[in-house]
Amino acid sequence: MSGFELTEEQREIVAAVRDFVDRDVVPHASDFEHADEFPTQMVETMRDMGLFGTTIPEEYGGLGLGLDTYAMIIMELSRGWVTLSGILNGSFIAAWMIRLHGTDEQRQKFLPQLASCEIRAAFSMTEPHAGSDVQSILMTAERDGDEYVLNGQKMWVTNGWRSGLIMLLAKTDPTTDPPHKGMTGFIVEKEPETNPDGLTIPMPGLKKLGYKGVESTELVFDDFRTPASSILGGEAGIGNGFQYFMSGIEAGRVNVAARGAGLAEAALNDSLQYAQEREAFGKPIGHHQAVQLMLAKMATRAEAARLLTLQAAQKKQAGGRADLEAGMAKYFATEAAQENSTDALRIHGGYGYSLEYRPERYYRDAPLLMIGEGSNEIQQLIIARRLLERHKV
Amino acid sequence: MNQGDTNAIEAALRLKEAAGDCEVVLVSMGPDDAINSLRKGLAMGADRATLVSDTGAAGSDIVGTTNVLAAVLTHETPDLILFGQQSADSDGAVLWAAVADRLRQPVISQATSLDLSEGKATVKRQTEYGYDVIEAPLPCVIAVSDGINEPRYPSLKGIMGAKKKPQAIVTLESLGVGAEQAGTAGSRTEVKSLNDPPARGDSQLIEGDGEAAARVLAFLNEKKLT
């Protein structure tokens, strides 16, 4: 594992998060998930531990840690419950984008609030008819003096209701060709858990197979007004929104890869334990070759997912283009999560299908990871196109 | 670090947060790498740590360990000494009493709440039937129960800052502890051997096969326990 030896500080950070997950998350996650209940106390502990400020520079009240350390934290949280990493991710991705693309004023204003979790954030790009095909979004932002007037509908916004700011992509010039040149990012402020003038957030949000406990909402903008100063990057950011959001979602893909790696490990850990406790035909089922083959594949997938994720995190952290590495990590780790969840369910047999055991939750949470933050089909296209560019003949 | 120790650290940190002007110091005896365990306490919020690490202390039993810890605590002169409920390895719950005895200080165990005021500690001690409320003048030794609090998790900032906090590794000589007071030389016990407890020859397992209750009742009747 050369290149991925943890520093002493990283080991201690991971150990602290693991302790939290083992003590306060694992025993309760399924109850919260089944009730679709927001884990207020868990989030408060995450806030007190400083997790929301992990990658935010120290000058803005954060810890200034790298994306690899953040990925390790996400793996641990997701080992307990994927939803927790989703709650964290909105703030992470907003801080990432504001740090890289925001104006000094925006950094000074928002980064300390995000680091302390005074406000939480949401990332909003998808629309009812436009997921992976981002360039087909219809949301418009029309200038009116010192304000922009937002109209349109967004979809699948994690933290949409409880967030205090939304990173929003809209078209400030619907006439450009290609369309992305007319797109601009906005930092939309709102009061959490309210429907401000011009913005309706239907609650209790969208019904989902898994990923429960955190709301995934629609945002319906109807002449919602936001100041021109809310343009991500200021006036210079007009027309650069698509680029900024792609950069943000690339970091988000590392996050989703880490979720997959954590979920793959959780499924493995549960299976390793159950395979030694459950007996069939006079011996623990882990002594049967059929189960051993599954355990071997699960462990290999989990480890490979972890390593690909850390590699992508380090590459992205270094500042260069990392779409290939992030795409590989996201694709592999989330498929690993799904495959390990299925194998965990098989190994647990009837109990795997029962709500009393955790594999059913893993089995329902994993598909989101394959779809969200750029579907795995899109990831494969990115990987292939990037490879063809690199190895052009 | 023992889970019980984190309860003691949490109790100390809460007292400090309430009182303000005081210091939480971690004290331990062990090999050099035990400082890594103490660092977790520093990450939780303790101010500094002192570790007695000396080959001469290796093999100390309760008497030797007491001699060493009492020497450190005499040097530190704290107003209050907190221990966890028990050790995690052997589940021993004697050290706090032995140290208090050596320091000639009052000791209260199984503390489920702790208040300091007017130079004394007021403790609720859990008993089989409820609580005893006990007061002791400071300085004193208190062993907290695992129910006294829910220890905080170290924050990431705390972890990153822990390394910069004072961490002293001291020797027996610097504490004035003679070679005959610590290690095997300072111990009064010797472990001859360790064995599993003898098996219970007459034990029987009654499984829930539908007849279990009747068989348990028959067993109790046979033993004249009904």
Side-chain angles (χ1 to χ4, degrees):
Chain A
M1 290 194 290
S2 176
F4 296 112
E5 293 295 332
L6 273 58
T7 64
E8 192 174 328
E9 186 174 271
Q10 284 175 325
R11 275 199 300 275
E12 290 175 1
I13 288 171
V14 169
V17 179
R18 181 175 297 155
D19 191 20
F20 159 62
V21 168
D22 286 341
R23 198 197 324 167
D24 286 351
V25 178
V26 170
H28 310 295
S30 288
D31 289 340
F32 276 88
E33 205 269 352
H34 293 157
D36 199 3
E37 182 179 344
F38 186 80
T40 303
Q41 183 59 52
M42 295 182 202
V43 174
E44 286 176 1
T45 303
M46 289 160 58
R47 178 199 63 199
D48 292 345
M49 292 180 76
L51 302 190
F52 285 87
T54 303
T55 60
I56 296 174
E58 288 180 88
E59 62 187 291
Y60 300 110
L63 298 162
L65 294 169
L67 191 56
D68 53 352
T69 305
Y70 181 74
M72 291 171 200
I73 291 169
I74 293 298
M75 286 183 208
E76 280 301 321
L77 292 176
S78 301
R79 186 177 59 78
W81 188 15
V82 164
T83 288
L84 295 184
S85 58
I87 293 169
L88 197 57
N89 183 52
S91 295
F92 157 73
I93 205 165
W96 185 276
M97 292 170 70
I98 292 169
R99 178 171 65 85
L100 288 182
H101 309 298
T103 62
D104 282 344
E105 189 181 26
Q106 288 167 341
R107 282 192 280 265
Q108 295 288 349
K109 179 177 182 183
F110 294 115
L111 293 182
Q113 292 178 327
L114 290 167
S116 65
C117 194
E118 183 184 331
I119 54 167
R120 293 198 295 109
F123 178 84
S124 179
M125 194 167 68
T126 298
E127 296 184 2
H129 65 284
S132 298
D133 183 10
V134 179
Q135 291 207 66
S136 68
I137 65 166
L138 296 175
M139 158 110 15
T140 57
E142 190 175 347
R143 185 128 195 181
D144 182 16
D146 290 336
E147 294 180 322
Y148 276 83
V149 182
L150 300 175
N151 279 290
Q153 186 178 353
K154 292 292 185 183
M155 190 86 171
W156 293 115
V157 184
T158 302
N159 302 307
W161 178 246
R162 293 182 175 86
S163 57
L165 69 83
I166 303 166
M167 305 303 291
L168 185 91
L169 186 64
K171 295 173 88 166
T172 43
D173 183 354
T175 64
T176 60
D177 183 19
H180 71 78
K181 290 189 174 175
M183 293 182 184
T184 300
F186 289 87
I187 308 171
V188 175
E189 291 184 81
K190 71 178 183 68
E191 191 66 28
E193 302 181 40
T194 62
N195 280 313
D197 286 345
L199 172 58
T200 303
I201 308 171
M203 284 297 287
L206 301 161
K207 297 292 182 189
K208 299 170 288 189
L209 174 67
Y211 196 43
K212 295 181 181 178
V214 61
E215 75 278 12
S216 299
T217 71
E218 297 171 81
L219 304 176
V220 183
F221 291 90
D222 183 10
D223 288 338
F224 179 89
R225 289 180 171 271
T226 186
S229 60
S230 68
I231 292 173
L232 178 61
E235 294 289 329
I238 295 174
N240 289 321
F242 182 83
Q243 174 198 334
Y244 296 163
F245 273 63
M246 288 303 108
S247 161
I249 209 165
E250 202 172 279
R253 277 177 191 146
V254 175
N255 174 294
V256 174
R259 292 193 220 178
L263 187 50
E265 187 191 341
L268 169 67
N269 291 344
D270 283 19
S271 299
L272 283 170
Q273 181 171 341
Y274 189 77
Q276 296 174 76
E277 293 171 351
R278 172 75 175 187
E279 293 193 357
F281 306 106
K283 56 185 176 183
I285 60 171
H287 291 190
H288 293 293
Q289 278 193 344
V291 173
Q292 289 177 350
L293 293 177
M294 280 193 275
L295 292 174
K297 288 177 192 167
M298 292 170 79
T300 306
R301 286 187 208 115
E303 184 66 7
R306 192 181 79 85
L307 293 173
L308 276 173
T309 301
L310 292 178
Q311 174 181 275
Q314 289 184 349
K315 180 86 181 197
K316 180 71 180 170
Q317 180 69 30
R321 186 173 174 179
D323 54 350
L324 177 70
E325 291 78 7
M328 283 181 171
K330 196 273 181 184
Y331 167 49
F332 185 87
T334 58
E335 293 289 336
Q338 177 64 35
E339 290 168 12
N340 277 17
S341 301
T342 306
D343 281 349
L345 199 142
R346 289 177 195 273
I347 288 170
H348 283 71
Y351 291 112
Y353 199 63
S354 160
L355 298 187
E356 298 295 317
Y357 283 73
R358 292 188 288 264
E360 62 84 24
R361 172 160 59 84
Y362 306 150
Y363 188 77
R364 290 184 291 103
D365 276 345
L368 167 78
L369 306 180
M370 298 191 297
I371 298 165
E373 232 81 318
S375 74
N376 281 2
E377 288 69 34
I378 290 289
Q379 302 311 311
Q380 291 171 73
L381 296 180
I382 291 170
I383 293 165
R385 287 172 184 163
R386 189 80 180 97
L387 287 172
L388 290 168
E389 282 173 24
R390 274 192 191 178
H391 302 283
K392 198 168 185 178
V393 292
Chain B
M1 182 178 291
N2 297 327
Q3 178 65 31
D5 293 335
T6 61
N7 291 115
I9 294 170
E10 179 64 35
L13 293 173
R14 291 185 189 189
L15 289 172
K16 179 184 173 179
E17 285 159 3
D21 184 24
C22 60
E23 186 183 35
V24 175
V25 183
L26 309 175
V27 171
S28 186
M29 183 183 89
D32 281 0
D33 62 3
I35 201 75
N36 296 329
S37 293
L38 291 177
R39 204 153 55 233
K40 180 180 176 184
L42 295 174
M44 287 174 70
D47 297 292
R48 61 184 173 88
T50 297
L51 172 70
V52 185
S53 179
D54 196 308
T55 52
S60 294
D61 70 353
I62 183 79
V63 176
T65 305
T66 299
N67 289 339
V68 174
L69 291 183
V72 184
L73 293 166
T74 299
H75 181 71
E76 291 282 353
T77 63
D79 295 312
L80 176 67
I81 300 168
L82 292 171
F83 277 80
Q85 180 172 282
Q86 63 200 69
S87 66
D89 49 4
S90 60
D91 280 339
V94 185
L95 187 61
W96 37 268
V99 169
D101 183 63
R102 183 57 48 90
L103 295 173
R104 308 309 298 165
Q105 289 186 8
V107 60
I108 308 172
S109 64
Q110 284 295 316
T112 56
S113 77
L114 166 62
D115 291 302
L116 300 183
S117 64
E118 298 172 0
K120 67 180 185 231
T122 304
V123 167
K124 282 173 78 175
R125 181 170 67 183
Q126 192 170 3
T127 71
E128 190 175 352
Y129 301 105
Y131 297 97
D132 295 329
V133 179
I134 305 171
E135 289 182 356
L138 299 175
C140 65
V141 176
I142 294 172
V144 303
S145 100
D146 58 4
I148 191 171
N149 55 42
E150 190 67 31
R152 70 194 64 186
Y153 297 103
S155 69
L156 271 54
K157 192 172 185 179
I159 291 170
M160 295 166 71
K163 276 186 186 169
K164 297 172 189 162
K165 291 183 176 178
Q167 300 163 56
I169 297 182
V170 298
T171 61
L172 296 179
E173 185 181 4
S174 69
L175 295 169
V177 177
E180 75 289 354
Q181 293 177 284
T184 51
S187 297
R188 299 290 179 271
T189 57
E190 183 182 351
V191 178
K192 296 287 189 185
S193 66
L194 287 169
N195 299 293
D196 291 331
R200 293 186 180 181
D202 59 349
S203 65
Q204 54 181 290
L205 182 66
I206 299 174
E207 297 197 42
D209 57 1
E211 303 288 328
R215 290 166 64 194
V216 170
L217 182 59
F219 174 82
L220 294 174
N221 284 334
E222 179 190 328
K223 298 291 183 186
K224 302 188 186 309
L225 292 172
T226 51

